[in-house]
């Protein structure tokens, strides 16, 4: 027996402590990695949705300008309701005649901004993510976005 | 020496593996989202914007053909209401045809007319000199015109005088003059020594010529600005006076051919000057200058209702 000054208890405690530390560290890193990937996916998802809505607004704008005789236009923009299990809202704002869309996810404070190139004015407002309807208001010659 | 004696080991490893498994499941959901986003990004235009533009184009061109055909086939003694009846029938046929073909593509469509602008069509179908029916070589075709469309001449080279022989372009050679008292726009035609037809344009700032054409018959389209189907940049009807102008031919005996034009002035057809009724060529008939149509398009994702004006052969088409 060549075991002297060995405490079995200490041996086990050390093994357990080190294993526990390793596993806890792994889980912490894994957890934060999942969070950061989630944020990246939400960002790119909102970016894609913003571009699609901007494209649909551009189509509606082109149709409204077609003959200057447009009396009615209703365009349905089909967008997903959630991005990576988080819902989002879309803010339409106009500054100095430039319209932009600000998409904000429910889960975090990181917003995504997409600019819209348009000739017809677009009414500012806020809508929730999901199917939207773009309507042309003949009387005021502006486009309005409503929840579909 | 401790002796556990029971086979329970690696609890922490088990818990760690369990937690790692849950992490992988969370990753799977995130990756699913990312893949869906990529798919969403690669989709094309799911709305029907292009289809509407295509439909509008079909309506415009179809109705343009109907207008051109009905204007060219006015029988003697036909009144304006007869022409409108035929146009309405043609438009109904066009609407039904388009409705059927668009129904196959998942959209309902409809087109109807909401207004017509009356006008007159002046034409010479038989190839003869550009004089009026009493033989005058300098004469006025029509006055108080605001808009002209489809103004085409088919000029016979054999019967066009040489530039030197008729006294120079804009001098004694055949000239088409559009003037309203304040501005004048002229187009002159002659033949050069190389046996080519030369067309020159003077918008008041000086004469510019188009490329000479070596053909026995040269089509001169004033409203679309082409000579024998080739574009001629100086030949732009937009340079002509904008409203209240008169169209005249000067020295019409220096050239020959056929021509046709449609103007938005109905009185010259309703009460033609005596030189139109003196002989059979040239003649004037009532015509419809333009039509305003209301069309709508409805599909799963789009409802669109608008108007379009049809005036085939107009200068800014």
């Amino acid at each position: 027996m060549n075991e002297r000054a060995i405490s079995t208890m200490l041996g086990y405690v050390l093994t357990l402590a080190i294993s526990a530390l390793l596993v806890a560290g792994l889980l912490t890193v894994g957890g934060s990695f999942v969070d950061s990937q989630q944020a990246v996916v939400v960002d790119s998802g909102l970016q894609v949705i913003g571009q699609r809505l901007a494209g649909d607004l551009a189509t509606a704008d082109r149709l409204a300008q077609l003959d200057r005789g447009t009396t009615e236009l209703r365009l349905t923009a089909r967008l997903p309701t959630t991005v990576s299990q988080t819902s989002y809202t879309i803010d339409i704002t106009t500054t100095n005649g430039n319209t932009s869309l600000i998409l904000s996810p429910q889960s975090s404070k990181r917003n995504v901004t997409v600019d819209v190139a348009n000739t017809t004015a677009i009414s500012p407002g806020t809508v929730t993510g999901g199917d939207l309807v773009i309507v042309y208001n003949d009387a005021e010659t502006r486009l309005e976005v409503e929840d579909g | 020496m401790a002796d556990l004696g029971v086979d329970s080991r690696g609890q922490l490893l088990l818990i760690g593996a369990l937690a790692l498994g849950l992490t992988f499941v969370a990753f799977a959901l995130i990756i699913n989202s990312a893949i869906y986003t990529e798919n969403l990004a690669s989709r094309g235009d799911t709305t029907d914007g292009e289809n509407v533009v295509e439909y509008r184009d079909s309506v415009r061109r179809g109705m343009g053909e109907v207008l051109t055909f009905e204007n060219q086939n006015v029988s003697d003694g036909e009144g304006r209401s007869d022409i409108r009846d035929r146009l309405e029938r043609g438009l109904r046929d066009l609407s039904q045809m388009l409705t059927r073909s668009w129904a196959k593509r998942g959209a309902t469509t409809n087109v109807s007319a909401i207004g017509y602008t009356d006008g007159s069509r002046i034409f010479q179908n038989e190839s003869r000199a550009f004089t009026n029916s009493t033989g005058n070589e300098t004469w006025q075709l029509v006055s108080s015109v605001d808009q002209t469309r489809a103004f085409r001449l088919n000029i016979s080279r054999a019967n066009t005088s040489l530039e030197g022989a008729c006294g120079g372009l804009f001098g004694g050679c055949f000239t088409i003059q559009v003037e309203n008292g304040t501005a004048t726009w002229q187009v002159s035609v002659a033949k050069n020594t190389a046996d080519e037809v030369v067309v020159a344009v003077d918008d008041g700032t000086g004469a510019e010529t188009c490329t000479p054409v070596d053909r026995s018959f040269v089509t001169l389209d004033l409203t679309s600005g082409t000579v024998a189907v080739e574009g001629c940049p100086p030949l732009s009807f937009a340079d002509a006076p904008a409203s209240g102008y008169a169209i005249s031919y000067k020295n019409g005996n220096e050239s020959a051919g056929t021509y046709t034009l449609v103007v938005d002035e109905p009185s010259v057809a309703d009460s033609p000057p005596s030189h139109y009724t003196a002989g059979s060529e040239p003649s004037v008939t009532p015509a419809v200058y333009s039509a305003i149509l209301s069309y709508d398009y409805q599909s799963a994702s789009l409802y669109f209702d608008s108007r379009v004006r049809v005036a085939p052969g107009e200068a800014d088409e």
Side-chain angles (χ1 to χ4, degrees):
Chain A
M1 186 170 68
N2 275 333
E3 292 185 357
R4 296 181 188 134
I6 298 281
S7 163
T8 333
M9 184 78 78
L10 191 63
Y12 279 126
V13 167
L14 275 176
T15 311
L16 287 175
I18 291 169
S19 315
L21 269 173
L22 280 173
V23 170
L26 190 69
L27 288 178
T28 314
V29 166
S32 66
F33 189 53
V34 168
D35 274 341
S36 73
Q37 287 307 301
Q38 166 97 333
V40 166
V41 166
V42 167
D43 260 1
S44 79
L46 287 180
Q47 190 56 250
V48 166
I49 289 170
Q51 295 289 348
R52 287 192 70 81
L53 183 58
D56 288 340
L57 281 170
T59 302
D61 183 31
R62 184 161 46 102
L63 290 179
Q65 296 286 325
L66 203 46
D67 280 306
R68 310 289 159 82
T70 307
T71 47
E72 213 179 318
L73 166 66
R74 297 181 65 86
L75 184 74
T76 308
R78 297 188 199 283
L79 305 173
T81 343
T82 57
V83 178
S84 187
Q85 290 85 44
T86 47
S87 56
Y88 58 99
T89 58
I90 306 173
D91 241 320
I92 304 161
T93 56
T94 316
T95 42
N96 302 337
N98 295 328
T99 313
S100 47
L101 308 167
I102 303 175
L103 297 101
S104 333
Q106 207 82 336
S107 55
S108 70
K109 296 243 180 15
R110 295 167 58 131
N111 296 343
V112 169
T113 311
V114 176
D115 291 326
V116 181
N118 61 314
T119 324
T120 324
I122 303 177
S123 298
T126 310
V127 285
T128 46
D131 286 350
L132 301 172
V133 180
I134 303 169
V135 179
Y136 177 68
N137 187 331
D138 193 20
E140 299 170 36
T141 56
R142 356 181 58 189
L143 290 168
E144 292 165 354
V145 184
E146 299 163 3
D147 286 313
Chain B
M1 192 162 70
D3 181 12
L4 288 179
V6 287
D7 284 344
S8 35
R9 295 178 197 179
Q11 286 171 354
L12 275 177
L13 286 178
L14 203 63
I15 292 168
L18 202 67
L20 211 60
L22 287 173
T23 313
F24 285 144
V25 170
F27 265 131
L29 290 173
I30 292 172
I31 288 175
N32 194 37
S33 246
I35 292 171
Y36 178 67
T37 304
E38 288 285 310
N39 176 280
L40 199 61
S42 66
R43 286 189 201 167
D45 180 23
T46 54
T47 61
D48 279 331
E50 306 143 4
N51 288 346
V52 171
V53 176
E54 190 185 325
Y55 173 61
R56 173 185 173 271
D57 199 48
S58 311
V59 166
R60 261 182 79 231
R61 287 197 279 130
M63 191 56 186
E65 296 286 325
V66 172
L67 262 183
T68 306
F69 180 79
E70 298 298 354
N71 281 337
Q72 283 174 350
N73 288 297
V74 176
S75 352
D76 284 332
E78 236 186 345
R80 291 194 184 272
S81 56
D82 296 321
I83 304 176
R84 290 214 184 178
D85 284 343
R86 290 193 278 118
L87 282 175
E88 284 289 332
R89 276 205 299 275
L91 181 59
R92 259 204 306 277
D93 288 343
L94 177 69
S95 179
Q96 281 173 1
M97 191 181 76
L98 286 175
T99 303
R100 269 201 295 273
S101 89
W102 279 97
K104 288 186 221 155
R105 295 165 73 166
T108 51
T109 58
N110 189 37
V111 59
S112 57
I114 50 181
Y116 293 102
T117 304
D118 284 329
S120 313
R121 180 171 164 256
I122 302 165
F123 58 96
Q124 177 166 291
N125 286 342
E126 187 195 308
S127 184
R128 61 182 279 282
F130 294 126
T131 53
N132 68 2
S133 44
T134 55
N136 289 0
E137 65 256 18
T138 297
W139 58 290
Q140 188 183 76
L141 277 77
V142 63
S143 63
S144 318
V145 177
D146 292 323
Q147 289 171 302
T148 307
R149 63 175 180 85
F151 193 165
R152 293 182 202 115
L153 298 97
N154 197 15
I155 297 167
S156 156
R157 173 177 60 183
N159 295 328
T160 305
S161 311
L162 278 172
E163 201 179 326
C166 57
L169 291 162
F170 304 107
C173 295
F174 172 55
T175 305
I176 304 158
Q177 183 178 312
V178 178
E179 52 84 31
N180 70 348
T182 42
T184 309
W185 186 75
Q186 298 183 84
V187 175
S188 192
V189 180
K191 192 162 64 179
N192 64 9
T193 46
D195 204 28
E196 293 168 328
V197 174
V198 179
V199 176
V201 186
D202 184 1
D203 60 355
T205 60
E208 292 173 64
T209 51
C210 301
T211 320
V213 180
D214 182 7
R215 291 215 192 155
S216 47
F217 281 92
V218 176
T219 309
L220 173 60
D221 192 330
L222 293 177
T223 40
S224 59
T226 60
V227 176
V229 192
E230 296 269 334
C232 176
L235 184 64
S236 167
F237 206 78
D239 296 335
S243 62
Y245 52 86
I247 303 174
S248 328
Y249 283 169
K250 301 206 296 204
N251 311 308
N253 52 333
E254 301 291 352
S255 188
T258 62
Y259 58 89
T260 173
L261 65 145
V262 183
V263 293
D264 67 345
E265 175 54 46
S267 58
V268 67
D270 293 335
S271 33
S274 53
H275 61 82
Y276 281 121
T277 49
S280 62
E281 297 274 4
S283 17
V284 60
T285 55
V288 172
Y289 182 77
S290 66
I292 300 200
L293 308 176
S294 164
Y295 64 100
D296 62 72
Y297 176 97
Q298 181 162 21
S299 72
S301 58
L302 175 61
Y303 175 70
F304 185 65
D305 194 335
S306 185
R307 306 193 170 166
V308 67
R309 180 173 171 271
V310 180
E314 214 168 37
D316 54 1
E317 225 175 38

